[in-house]
Amino acid sequence: MSLDERFNAAAEKIKTFTKRPTDEELLTLYALFKQASFGDNTTPKPGMLDLKAKAKWDFWNKQKGKSQDAAKQEYIEYVEKLSASYL
């Protein structure tokens, strides 16, 4: 199975979780997914009053410089780790 196929399978696996991951786990998943899919964050930073968007932006921005393939691999491993708790 190729890296892209494993990445897509991991993204689908999250939808089968029976419990909701913590906010920090969800933000980490979001950041790794965005880095794997789009690369470095080049969007403008949201205003300080939009707390949800700011948190997502901050988590994605922490991934800056990580290659898309490395982010895909890390995403796959993180989903597998979370699966033990949420499936």
Side-chain angles (χ1 to χ4, degrees):
M1 198 183 258
S2 75
L3 181 61
D4 286 336
E5 290 170 333
R6 291 185 301 132
F7 174 72
N8 291 332
E12 288 301 313
K13 188 173 194 171
I14 290 171
K15 297 175 185 175
T16 67
F17 285 3
T18 56
K19 296 182 219 162
R20 185 181 186 277
T22 66
D23 289 343
E24 187 164 334
E25 290 167 338
L26 288 171
L27 285 167
T28 301
L29 286 168
Y30 170 83
L32 288 170
F33 184 86
K34 292 292 271 190
Q35 187 70 20
S37 300
F38 301 103
D40 288 344
N41 183 355
T42 59
T43 61
K45 189 171 186 174
M48 58 190 267
L49 297 178
D50 191 349
L51 298 177
K52 184 176 179 180
K54 186 178 179 309
K56 290 167 86 173
W57 189 93
D58 286 340
F59 267 74
W60 183 12
N61 205 49
K62 288 178 189 173
Q63 301 296 324
K64 190 172 272 188
K66 186 177 290 181
S67 74
Q68 287 181 280
D69 284 347
K72 285 177 184 176
Q73 185 61 43
E74 193 173 330
Y75 181 85
I76 293 164
E77 291 168 4
Y78 196 62
V79 168
E80 287 305 313
K81 177 183 162 198
L82 293 179
S83 292
S85 300
Y86 299 113
L87 271 180

